[in-house]
Amino acid sequence: MKLYNKSISKLLLVLAASVVLTNCSDDYLDQVKLGQETSDVYFNSQEKAVASVTAAYSDLKDYRFGWFLWAFGETMSDNAIYSGSDGDNAGFEPLKTFNGTADMFQVRYKWDLCYRGINKSSQAIEGIEGMPDELFESTIFKNRLIAEAKVLRAFYHFELVRAFNRIPILDHLIKGAGEKIGQSDAADVYAFIITEVEAVEPNLPVKSAYSSSDLGRVTKGFAQGFLAKVNLYAENFADAKVWAKKVIDSKEYQLDPDFAHVFSFDGENGIESLFEINFIESLTESGATTNNGNFQTLFQIPRNITYGYGINQPTQDLADAFDAAGDVIRKAATLLTTDEVYANEIPQGVWDWYNAQTDLQVANDSLDQWKAKLTFNRTGYYQQKIYVGPDDRSTEIRNNPNNTRIMRYAEVLLTYAEACYKTTDEGNARIALNEVRDRAGLNDVTASGTALLDAIYAERRLELAGENDRYHELLRTNRANILPYYSEAHKYWPVPQAEIDRTTGEIEQNPGY
């Protein structure tokens, strides 16, 4: 279903703490805000239970959460540069060059948004668990809601551990500043995520069992695909293989024959989609944090020739990787070229006038003035997967209704391929790898040994470029040293200094900062 932020805030009146610890006193936290329901009395109907889980999804839609999916996952890698205005680009430069500091707002946003989502998830879990079964249409539905919230809580933890490494595990609702929770090692965080999701995976419906109004909610397929991915990060390759195979064997998913179609409006929640963040266009809600549209579109479409900020520009290195592989289909669907920007963004009437001119000098001078509207174009490329053309673009600049793809079947196949390789099953590794390559119009890989593993890694880059995983993949596979400014000491972001200052030693800064 298309999930609404503003309606959630009206329905869910009990707000969870946004970070691990707060700077409020215990006395303040113990007071009941006048005119609002407390958690103890809020959970008294199925409608409110649903609203509480829907609220746990809402932080996925917060523009700051989406912002630092790609800022961390793409622009810190060889796939993209931060770009934007000179100020935008300079502001991110310390992180790109592995010289980030603990007081940077980017670091704080990533931490705060994920922990806010975790606490909302915990609030839903504990509130629903405490409700009598007879308030629900069935215990199956009650258990499904709890399962959705637990997978979301695990997903927020996953985003944190990939960014910060050692993080506090929150397996319950934090209600006051008196609770002190320290950090856990990454291996323990991955183990927590796996245990949580494995426990509730049986309670989730398959995608085809959901009604169209429920599209965008967590499914059994996403839980299984997520378990495959997390086990890959935890280097539990046999388990990653098992979970990926469950997705494959479910027959719930298949590759869309048209790669570009996956990222179109028509392709949303399609045959390849395991999980997406759903957005809608709202003409009445246009604030930075009070809209239901995809703010990331505004961030990434070309600057000044339309209303975009021109941030997260793909690199020439990525373009060259497509060319080296002979990958024409995915390059065209991933990289928007400068010439394509001109063709799309300069009004058709201008092109008609240009083509009718007999004086080439006059025509070119006029066209150059239109082209000059495109500014801060540092690489010549933009993100095609999130681009929305003029005919489909919202008049409310923050409210474009295109979804963000979080997991696709192609990724599951590549996870399976890597897990098979790591468990000495090269035959099945090649079959899964080549299924993805066939869709891209590329020849089958026949390699074995390290050449096969290199082919799987290369395929992940080209298939998933622009989908916010590249830097994490380089870290996971110990290849981040290919980045020009890479620092082993700063490969993870620093813990926000404000978070450390609010504690009494439980939260420590990452080594090297």
Side-chain angles (χ1 to χ4, degrees), residues 52-64:
S52 72
V53 177
T54 304
Y57 285 92
S58 66
D59 287 302
L60 300 176
K61 299 180 66 170
D62 189 295
Y63 82 96
R64 293 160 296 185

Side-chain angles (χ1 to χ4, degrees), residues 240-252:
K241 180 179 178 181
V242 167
W243 285 109
K245 189 65 162 57
K246 285 181 182 290
V247 178
I248 295 168
D249 290 344
S250 74
K251 306 300 182 184
E252 287 280 321

Side-chain angles (χ1 to χ4, degrees), residues 93-125:
E93 191 68 9
L95 292 167
K96 178 76 174 182
T97 57
F98 296 89
N99 290 306
T101 60
D103 59 354
M104 295 181 72
F105 73 88
Q106 297 95 334
V107 171
R108 175 170 53 84
Y109 281 168
K110 181 74 176 179
W111 183 279
D112 285 2
L113 263 294
C114 287
Y115 275 114
R116 191 171 78 181
I118 287 169
N119 235 28
K120 285 182 182 178
S121 301
S122 294
Q123 179 172 260
I125 293 163

Side-chain angles (χ1 to χ4, degrees), residues 312-332:
N312 192 21
Q313 285 195 266
T315 60
Q316 186 62 49
D317 186 82
L318 177 58
D320 291 344
F322 281 112
D323 291 340
D327 195 341
V328 176
I329 292 173
R330 288 185 298 198
K331 181 182 180 183

